[in-house]
Amino acid sequence: MSAPTQRVTIKDVAAAAGVSKGAVSIAFNHKPGLSEPTRERIFAVARELGWAPNSSARSLSTQKTDTIGLALCRPARLLGLEPFYMEFISGIESVLAEQSCSLLLRLVSSLDEEIVLQETWWRERQIGGSILVDFHQDDPRVEPLKRLGIPAVAVGHPDLTGGIPSVWTDDATAMAEAVRYLAALGHRRIARVGGPAGLGHSAIREQAFQTTLRELGLTPSPQVATGFAGEEGARATRSLLLRPDRPTAIVYDNDLMAVAGLGVAAEMGVPVPDELSLLAWDDSQLCRLTHPTLSAMSHDVHGFGAEVARELFAVIDGRAVSPRPVPTPSLTPRASTAAPRAPRD
C-alpha cells in the first residue's frame, strides 16, 4: 500500500517560489505589498503543489471567483416566511445561472458580524463580489467594505449607500401614491405599520407618509415601527384598533404584517373594508389568497433581484455603472380597500 500523500504547507510554497512565508500570506490574503509577477508566481507554485488557503484550489487560477456573496441580517425563520426575499433571491439566481455562478448566502445577527464575514469572504477569495441589502442611515458597513475594495452593489437609495453602486426602488413616490389613493377614497385617519426605525427605506417611507398627509391637509397619523414578522404586525394592528380615534386605513411595510393585520381586524370584529381598509407593500401570492384580497404596492421583485445581479457583474468586469432606480412600485387595488362607511371625524 502506498504511503499517504504528505500535506503541502505554506513553507513548501514559499520555498518553491523563492519567497518568504510572509509573502505567501500577503498574496493569499489579497493584501498589497507584492509585485504582480511575484503574486502570480506564488499562485502558480501553489497550483502546481496542489495547495490553497481556506478556499478551493480552482480559485487560484483566476482573480475572479464563481461565487457571489449575500448576507442577511434577519432570523432564519422570518427569511423562510417572507415572500420578498424568496422572490428577490430567485431573481439573483436566474442571472447567476446564466454566468455559471453560485450564491453564497449567510444569515448574520448584526451589521458588525456582517462586516467581519465580508472581510473573511474577500480575503480568503471565497467570493468575487457581494450584494449588500437593508441599509441603515449612517450604515457602518460602507467605509470598511470600500477600503477592502470588494466589488459590490448596494440595494438602497444612494443617500444611504455612501457611493457604493446602487439599485433601488423609489419608496417615497410609491408611499405618496398609497396615501393619496386612500385619501381619495375618503379616509382621513390613515396609519402606518412600518419596519424597524433604523432601516433606511423605513425612514424614507415614514417621511413620505407624513409629508403627503400634510400636503393633503390631513392630521399626522400614528406610525408604529416594528419588525417584519406577522406576530409583530398583529400586535401593532391591535394597538392601533384599540385607540379611541382608531384609523380607518392602515398601510403596512410588508405583506406578512398586512395578512396578520387582516386577521386581527376579524378577531376584533372590525369589518374589512367597510370600516377598515388595508394596503400591503410588496405584492405577493399571500395578498391574493386572503379574504378579502389585499390591495398592495406591486413591483417585479424577481426582476429587481435579476437587475441587481446584472449590475454586480458590471462592477466586477470594471464597467462604469451609475446609481439608478428600478420601476417604482405601483398600486394594485383589491377588495381590502374601499371608501369608509362613515367619517369618524
Side-chain angles (χ1 to χ4, degrees):
M1 184 171 65
S2 60
T5 303
Q6 184 176 356
R7 181 177 181 274
V8 178
T9 67
I10 191 172
K11 181 178 179 181
D12 298 327
V13 175
V19 298
S20 68
K21 291 191 293 183
V24 176
S25 178
I26 288 172
F28 285 107
N29 281 321
H30 212 69
K31 293 181 178 179
L34 292 177
S35 67
E36 198 58 34
T38 299
R39 191 183 303 272
E40 289 302 323
R41 184 167 77 253
I42 292 170
F43 289 159
V45 168
R47 287 196 298 272
E48 184 178 341
L49 296 177
W51 179 82
N54 299 318
S55 59
S56 66
R58 185 175 65 168
S59 296
L60 302 176
S61 65
T62 176
Q63 292 286 17
K64 180 181 176 181
T65 186
D66 59 0
T67 302
I68 298 303
L70 172 63
L72 297 175
C73 186
R74 60 189 56 228
R77 178 174 173 273
L78 179 58
L79 179 64
L81 294 173
E82 195 171 19
F84 173 86
Y85 269 115
M86 294 298 97
E87 279 289 300
F88 182 73
I89 290 171
S90 74
I92 294 171
E93 289 279 15
S94 70
V95 175
L96 297 188
E98 296 171 359
Q99 301 286 337
S100 298
C101 288
S102 300
L103 181 68
L104 179 55
L105 174 65
R106 280 282 299 275
L107 303 183
V108 296
S109 59
S110 68
L111 295 183
D112 288 338
E113 183 182 341
E114 181 181 344
I115 292 169
V116 173
L117 175 66
Q118 296 280 1
E119 289 174 340
T120 301
W121 279 349
W122 185 240
R123 286 177 175 152
E124 293 185 357
R125 301 170 59 82
Q126 295 184 45
I127 61 171
S130 198
I131 294 170
L132 309 174
V133 299
D134 287 342
F135 271 78
H136 291 235
Q137 295 170 306
D138 301 317
D139 196 289
R141 295 171 292 179
V142 171
E143 291 309 318
L145 299 189
K146 286 172 68 175
R147 281 197 301 270
L148 282 172
I150 300 176
V153 165
V155 179
H157 194 279
D159 290 349
L160 303 168
T161 58
I164 297 173
S166 58
V167 182
W168 76 98
T169 57
D170 187 351
D171 287 352
T173 297
M175 180 58 76
E177 181 185 3
V179 174
R180 290 181 183 279
Y181 167 71
L182 293 170
L185 291 177
H187 293 280
R188 294 297 174 263
R189 281 200 289 273
I190 306 169
R192 172 176 171 264
V193 176
L199 280 179
H201 71 261
S202 292
I204 290 171
R205 293 179 189 180
E206 176 183 356
Q207 182 176 359
F209 178 80
Q210 295 294 8
T211 297
T212 306
L213 289 175
R214 286 195 299 270
E215 290 173 351
L216 294 171
L218 301 180
T219 303
S221 297
Q223 298 193 68
V224 182
T226 185
F228 290 116
E231 55 266 27
E232 293 174 284
R235 191 178 307 117
T237 303
R238 195 171 288 110
S239 71
L240 289 169
L241 296 184
L242 287 172
R243 293 170 62 99
D245 58 343
R246 78 183 189 201
T248 63
I250 305 175
V251 181
Y252 294 85
D253 260 19
N254 78 353
D255 44 6
L256 279 181
M257 295 194 295
V259 171
L262 181 61
V264 168
E267 164 200 316
M268 297 180 66
V270 180
V272 175
D274 291 345
E275 293 186 18
L276 177 68
S277 285
L278 303 181
L279 194 154
W281 209 276
D282 292 327
D283 193 11
S284 73
Q285 189 67 21
L286 281 179
C287 297
R288 297 184 284 277
L289 293 175
T290 59
H291 181 74
T293 54
L294 285 166
S295 294
M297 301 308 296
S298 306
H299 67 118
D300 182 2
V301 178
H302 182 277
F304 186 24
E307 187 62 26
V308 169
R310 283 191 286 266
E311 195 80 350
L312 179 57
F313 281 112
V315 172
I316 292 172
D317 292 341
R319 286 177 272 151
V321 298
S322 56
R324 57 196 176 87
V326 296
T328 302
S330 59
L331 178 69
T332 300
R334 296 196 182 99
S336 70
T337 50
R341 179 181 290 173
R344 291 182 174 275
D345 295 330

